[in-house]
Amino acid sequence: MRGLSTPVSQKWIDFAKYWLTQHIHNTDFRYKDKMPHHVADPYVWDESYQVYHTRLDDEHVILFNLMQELGENPDDVDLLNKNRDVYRDHFDYEEKQFMACGEPCDADAHKKKHDIFFKTLTWVTNPVSQEYVAFAKNWLAQHIKNTDFKYVDLLPHHVPKPYNWEDSLEVFYHRLDDEHKQLFDHLREVGHTPESTQHLSDLKFKMRAHFDYERGFFCNSETYHDCEEHSKKHEIFYKRLYAMENPVPIGEVDWAKNWLVQHIKNTDFQYKFKLNTYHHEVPRPYVWQPYLEVYYQRLDDEHVVLFDAIRDSVEHPEDQAKYDYLYKTMVDHFEYEQSEFLKIPNFDEYSQDHINKHTNFLAKLKAASVPLDCDFINYVEDWLVQHIMNTDFAYRGKMMHEVPEPYIWEPSFMTFYKQIDDEHVKLFDCIRECSEHPSDEAAFSTCKSLLRMHFDYEESEFCKVPDYDCYGHYLKHYNFQTKFQEAHTPLSAEVTTWAKDWLAQHIKNTDFAYRGKLFLRRHYVVPDPYVWDESFLVNIKQLDDEHVGLFDAVREVEAHREDQAVWDKMVDLFNEHFRYEEGMFTTILDNKHNIAEHRGRHVGIMNTVQGAVVPITEEITEFVKNWLAQHIKNTDFDYRGKMPEIFAVPEPYKWDRSFAVFYPDMDNEHKPLFTCVADLEKTPEDATLLASCLKSYVDHFVHEQKLFLESATYADVDKYQHINKHNAFLATMRGLSTPVSQKWIDFAKSRNGLTLLRTG
């Protein structure tokens, strides 16, 4: 090199590249694990010793502290014995972990190092010499960095306790995930009752069926190429499982439990997003569904629009303008999506494959022409669903989000849980303050406390959620805390920049996965100006129309705070809406909607505003505005899609065979109920007719209730709901006076009135 002159020849460049590569591998590698590392003074564990395994890192911290204490208290017999006990327990646990890893972790040599060190610890006596303490401190520091570091990223994956499937094990193929859940359940049952021949037989049968079904997909995939090796792992496991007999030894159960977790994460995960022959369910009607979420608001919103555009073209196959709109919308979405996933580090191969899929699909869209034929329509509908679940899902949790500058929390970070969002606001503020005042020890201490308390609270909530990846989420907190808590003032720009980026990415890539899942009431933004919009849709026209009216009525009160009539009108509208809505959601069967809680919330708001006097204060209107926005999205949204089918009101309004319940008495009593309502519509001022109509309803309900209450097969909950519907309807009727309003006539004829006979 010293003899070179410019321009440097390509021949020498090639030689230098070759030499450095070979020299590092053949020569420098000889000192791997042999170089001494700096021993911290004071002797305190720091993140440079991190092995990225929570329990092992925690135990290493304790080992550092105990040896430091022993150096300070060499005559303490109990402390020496505690050192021995803790080191032995740590070695036992660590060895179980790396022995499962085997040769890649250099397991046998590692264990020998433990044995040799532990012998020295058993020989030492009090008072412990400072020479031995220095030796032990140095041994631990060198051992972690030269030996433990070999198993980083190679240790077995966490096995959940209790042994329940969790979404960190999701392969994103619905039936395969369901079968994995069942295997967890069967293994758990065998562990609980090892003497049960039925449970062991069920496990063997289900495992065999799952392996065969799964193999049919991964061996026929165009992009997954490990069919034989994968199948071999199945057969080795199944041979041992098949040989198990009752009572099944607990060691065998634990082995099988561990095998399944490691197999899913190490082997099954390799086919994620590659099983091109697996067919995901296409929603009918063709409307975007929450199970298609990729957890990026703009991309999810664009997917909703794509579904709508495809559906619009399906319903109008001859409309060129609609098809042109679909094509343009698809192009715009692909361009934006590609610009985002291309930012993901080490994602090049996936990104190119994803772009190719976009390109090929757009070519087919461009080649088609109106009128669209059925086969092409089916292909387009199917393609989008399969593409989102087989391809887009691969970038979930990986996208790089923009870090706000100035570093202030903003609504795009909302999880919609008030306490969590409020705490996130404080975390943004404290990290910003630390970056602006890196030498402020008090600010740094406060920030560390806020982070610790937030993580503790958040973990207490998401760990309650069945199937949620509690451990994986906790591990991300732990790794962040390890680095941030170990930092020292003055904080470097590198640390604060890293912390800012981590929090922004973590909220959107990790916290967003629990949105809508926590057992907490979500908190939504109250629109300003206070106008109903489509984000409040419950997809039942009359209820949506009434919600629009409630928003309008609250705004009227704001504009006329001293007008009693305006306030009374708003209260009346709320009461009328609640009566109608309650009549609707009491038709939901099988306890799929919490009717009692929903009614209780209605009663609660009316009790709260009862007695308010004009002028109506801003405090009251702000409360009502917030209550209505939260109530629709937290409570009303729960009945979306659960209401029984809405049937058309017959015109002219009379009984027909579609209302037959096939009990002659009931069918005969239903007919005059139709007739009297139709007659009231013609002569709404006839008080005698109204009284006669009311009597017909009362007599019919009494007779009908007597019959179904005697039934042994009509469920008690259905009986209760049926009677409630009768009582709710009669309550509206008993309050009538002539002339009967057309509004009540329409209500009686509607789904909430006689038309309910079809569902009741």
Side-chain angles (χ1 to χ4, degrees):
M1 194 170 184
R2 288 194 175 103
L4 289 176
S5 60
T6 55
V8 179
S9 69
Q10 185 61 45
K11 184 177 180 180
W12 187 88
I13 295 292
D14 293 341
F15 157 75
K17 287 179 178 179
Y18 177 82
W19 182 89
L20 184 59
T21 302
Q22 306 310 316
H23 180 75
I24 292 174
H25 280 282
N26 292 324
T27 306
D28 292 354
F29 270 25
R30 293 180 183 177
Y31 63 63
K32 271 207 313 185
D33 316 328
K34 298 180 177 70
M35 290 281 206
H37 294 276
H38 171 71
V39 180
D41 186 21
Y43 193 65
V44 179
W45 183 96
D46 63 46
E47 65 168 9
S48 71
Y49 294 96
Q50 192 171 8
V51 295
Y52 301 98
H53 184 291
T54 43
R55 177 168 170 178
L56 293 176
D57 281 327
D58 287 344
E59 291 184 358
H60 286 157
V61 172
I62 294 169
L63 297 184
F64 267 74
N65 294 341
L66 282 174
M67 194 53 67
Q68 177 67 15
E69 285 184 52
L70 189 60
E72 296 167 356
N73 303 278
D75 296 313
D76 193 326
V77 176
D78 291 339
L79 186 57
L80 176 58
N81 288 331
K82 184 176 181 181
N83 263 269
R84 290 170 180 151
D85 292 341
V86 172
Y87 268 86
R88 180 70 274 164
D89 290 344
H90 168 69
F91 289 164
D92 286 346
Y93 176 75
E94 188 179 49
E95 285 163 15
K96 285 181 183 177
Q97 302 303 306
F98 66 62
M99 282 298 183
C101 163
E103 187 176 341
C105 294
D106 201 10
D108 292 336
H110 195 152
K111 187 177 185 308
K112 285 179 182 176
K113 292 178 182 179
H114 284 178
D115 294 341
I116 292 169
F117 174 79
F118 194 73
K119 280 183 182 178
T120 70
L121 192 55
T122 57
W123 293 338
V124 73
T125 58
N126 297 100
V128 179
S129 70
Q130 290 304 311
E131 289 78 11
Y132 181 80
V133 171
F135 156 76
K137 287 180 176 180
N138 181 69
W139 182 90
L140 180 59
Q142 308 308 324
H143 179 76
I144 292 174
K145 292 191 174 182
N146 285 328
T147 304
D148 290 355
F149 273 20
K150 290 180 181 178
Y151 63 58
V152 173
D153 296 330
L154 295 175
L155 293 186
H157 297 283
H158 169 72
V159 178
K161 292 182 180 180
Y163 193 69
N164 295 313
W165 183 94
E166 60 187 26
D167 56 13
S168 70
L169 296 156
E170 195 169 12
V171 296
F172 300 109
Y173 298 101
H174 183 70
R175 177 165 170 180
L176 296 178
D177 283 322
D178 279 350
E179 291 190 357
H180 285 158
K181 292 176 187 178
Q182 293 169 29
L183 296 181
F184 269 72
D185 295 342
H186 285 301
L187 274 168
R188 195 173 60 251
E189 289 299 328
V190 171
H192 289 163
T193 53
E195 70 283 352
S196 170
T197 56
Q198 184 63 55
H199 286 149
L200 181 58
S201 175
D202 289 346
L203 172 62
K204 291 177 180 179
F205 172 79
K206 190 63 186 178
M207 195 69 74
R208 179 74 271 164
H210 168 68
F211 287 164
D212 292 344
Y213 178 75
E214 185 181 49
R215 188 178 191 278
F217 286 108
F218 66 65
C219 284
N220 289 296
S221 169
E222 295 173 1
T223 52
Y224 182 72
H225 306 297
D226 293 320
C227 169
E228 295 308 317
E229 187 62 30
H230 197 147
S231 300
K232 184 179 178 181
K233 293 177 182 179
H234 285 177
E235 297 313 313
I236 292 171
F237 171 83
Y238 193 75
K239 184 177 181 180
R240 182 166 170 178
L241 175 66
Y242 189 76
M244 291 182 189
E245 296 179 350
N246 299 103
V248 183
I250 191 64
E252 288 293 276
V253 176
D254 288 342
W255 168 80
K257 287 180 175 179
N258 180 68
W259 183 91
L260 182 58
V261 172
Q262 309 310 321
H263 180 75
I264 292 173
K265 290 198 170 184
N266 291 328
T267 305
D268 290 355
F269 272 23
Q270 300 306 310
Y271 65 56
K272 282 205 294 188
F273 320 118
K274 295 179 181 178
L275 303 187
N276 58 291
T277 59
Y278 185 97
H279 191 267
H280 299 282
E281 182 182 0
V282 177
R284 297 295 177 201
Y286 194 70
V287 178
W288 182 92
Q289 299 294 322
Y291 67 79
L292 296 164
E293 273 189 300
V294 295
Y295 303 123
Y296 300 101
Q297 188 66 50
R298 176 168 170 179
L299 293 174
D300 283 325
D301 289 346
E302 290 186 1
H303 285 159
V304 172
V305 173
L306 293 181
F307 269 77
D308 294 344
I310 290 172
R311 192 175 63 253
D312 211 12
S313 276
V314 169
E315 293 169 356
H316 305 88
E318 73 296 333
D319 193 319
Q320 184 66 49
K322 292 185 183 298
Y323 189 64
D324 290 343
Y325 171 75
L326 167 61
Y327 182 82
K328 182 181 184 306
T329 304
M330 201 69 76
V331 169
D332 292 344
H333 168 68
F334 289 167
E335 288 179 353
Y336 172 71
E337 186 181 51
Q338 288 166 195
S339 71
E340 293 301 307
F341 65 63
L342 283 169
K343 298 174 186 176
I344 302 173
N346 305 314
F347 220 48
D348 296 344
E349 184 179 352
Y350 162 85
S351 297
Q352 192 53 57
D353 178 65
H354 198 151
I355 292 169
N356 289 342
K357 291 176 180 177
H358 286 174
T359 303
N360 293 337
F361 178 70
L362 286 177
K364 291 183 179 181
L365 274 188
K366 194 169 186 67
S369 59
V370 297
L372 305 175
D373 64 51
C374 289
D375 289 341
F376 184 72
I377 284 170
N378 290 336
Y379 161 74
V380 172
E381 288 184 329
D382 185 72
W383 185 90
L384 182 59
V385 173
Q386 309 309 318
H387 181 74
I388 291 173
M389 299 191 77
N390 286 334
T391 306
D392 291 355
F393 272 21
Y395 62 59
R396 290 208 301 191
K398 295 185 177 71
M399 291 286 203
M400 303 303 293
H401 300 278
E402 185 177 350
V403 179
E405 190 57 49
Y407 195 68
I408 298 172
W409 183 96
E410 40 95 1
S412 72
F413 291 95
M414 282 191 76
T415 64
F416 301 104
Y417 299 107
K418 190 173 188 311
Q419 181 168 339
I420 290 175
D421 285 329
D422 288 348
E423 291 182 359
H424 283 161
V425 171
K426 293 177 181 177
L427 297 186
F428 269 75
D429 292 345
C430 82
I431 291 175
R432 185 183 69 253
E433 188 172 355
C434 286
S435 70
E436 293 170 352
H437 307 284
S439 299
D440 190 331
E441 184 63 43
F444 183 44
S445 178
T446 299
C447 199
K448 289 192 289 186
S449 296
L450 288 173
L451 283 158
R452 185 172 58 253
M453 290 187 292
H454 168 68
F455 290 159
D456 287 347
Y457 170 70
E458 189 180 47
E459 287 160 14
S460 74
E461 294 299 334
F462 64 60
C463 285
K464 297 174 185 175
V465 179
D467 299 341
Y468 185 75
D469 183 16
C470 169
Y471 179 77
H473 197 148
Y474 159 75
L475 200 59
K476 293 177 181 179
H477 288 173
Y478 174 85
N479 289 333
F480 172 82
Q481 286 286 73
T482 299
K483 183 169 182 175
F484 194 72
Q485 298 281 346
E486 289 295 321
H488 302 285
T489 55
L491 298 172
S492 67
E494 180 185 3
V495 168
T496 54
T497 300
W498 165 79
K500 288 178 178 180
D501 181 69
W502 183 91
L503 182 60
Q505 308 306 323
H506 180 76
I507 292 174
K508 292 191 174 182
N509 284 332
T510 304
D511 292 354
F512 274 21
Y514 63 57
R515 291 202 301 189
K517 296 178 181 177
L518 300 187
F519 299 123
L520 296 170
R521 196 163 172 81
R522 298 181 77 179
H523 186 82
Y524 295 89
V525 175
V526 178
D528 185 21
Y530 196 65
V531 179
W532 182 95
D533 60 54
E534 290 189 350
S535 72
F536 292 93
L537 271 172
V538 296
N539 298 318
I540 299 167
K541 187 177 187 311
Q542 182 160 342
L543 293 177
D544 284 325
D545 289 346
E546 290 185 3
H547 286 157
V548 173
L550 296 181
F551 273 73
D552 294 345
V554 176
R555 278 202 322 280
E556 280 295 303
V557 170
E558 283 190 300
H560 305 90
R561 295 185 181 278
E562 299 187 5
D563 193 324
Q564 184 70 46
V566 173
W567 171 254
D568 291 343
K569 180 182 177 183
M570 187 204 80
V571 172
D572 289 344
L573 280 175
F574 269 83
N575 278 319
E576 288 174 19
H577 167 68
F578 291 161
R579 280 196 295 271
Y580 177 72
E581 187 179 53
E582 287 168 16
M584 293 281 280
F585 64 64
T586 54
T587 64
I588 299 172
L589 304 177
D590 303 323
N591 295 316
K592 290 180 180 177
H593 182 66
N594 194 330
I595 293 169
E597 183 195 21
H598 198 151
R599 278 182 169 155
R601 294 190 182 279
H602 288 174
V603 172
I605 179 66
M606 299 320 293
N607 286 342
T608 301
V609 301
Q610 188 177 19
V613 295
V614 295
I616 303 301
T617 65
E618 182 178 359
E619 182 181 9
I620 289 178
T621 51
E622 288 302 308
F623 169 78
V624 173
K625 286 162 67 175
N626 180 67
W627 183 92
L628 181 58
Q630 308 309 323
H631 179 76
I632 293 174
K633 292 191 174 183
N634 276 306
T635 304
D636 291 355
F637 272 22
D638 185 63
Y639 61 58
R640 291 197 301 186
K642 297 177 181 177
M643 300 284 197
E645 182 182 353
I646 297 177
F647 297 97
V649 176
E651 196 60 48
Y653 195 66
K654 63 181 181 179
W655 185 94
D656 61 40
R657 291 289 295 174
S658 69
F659 291 96
V661 295
F662 302 107
Y663 295 100
D665 285 355
M666 294 297 99
D667 286 332
N668 288 331
E669 289 180 13
H670 286 158
K671 292 174 184 177
L673 302 185
F674 279 78
T675 304
C676 77
V677 171
D679 290 344
L680 274 174
E681 185 171 25
K682 296 173 185 173
T683 55
E685 70 287 345
D686 191 334
T688 303
L689 176 60
L690 176 59
S692 171
C693 195
L694 174 60
K695 185 176 186 306
S696 296
Y697 273 90
V698 171
D699 292 346
H700 166 65
F701 289 165
V702 169
H703 185 200
E704 187 178 50
Q705 288 167 199
K706 179 178 182 298
L707 293 176
F708 68 62
L709 285 171
E710 293 171 353
S711 170
T713 56
Y714 193 38
D716 288 343
V717 66
D718 293 334
K719 294 174 184 177
Y720 171 77
Q721 289 187 355
H722 201 147
I723 292 170
N724 277 347
K725 294 173 193 175
H726 287 173
N727 293 339
F729 182 79
L730 288 177
T732 69
M733 200 170 184
R734 288 194 172 107
L736 290 175
S737 59
T738 54
V740 179
S741 69
Q742 186 61 44
K743 185 175 182 180
W744 185 87
I745 296 292
D746 293 340
F747 159 75
K749 291 164 69 175
S750 75
R751 176 175 180 266
N752 205 34
L754 275 177
T755 317
L756 283 176
L757 293 171
R758 292 192 183 180
T759 61

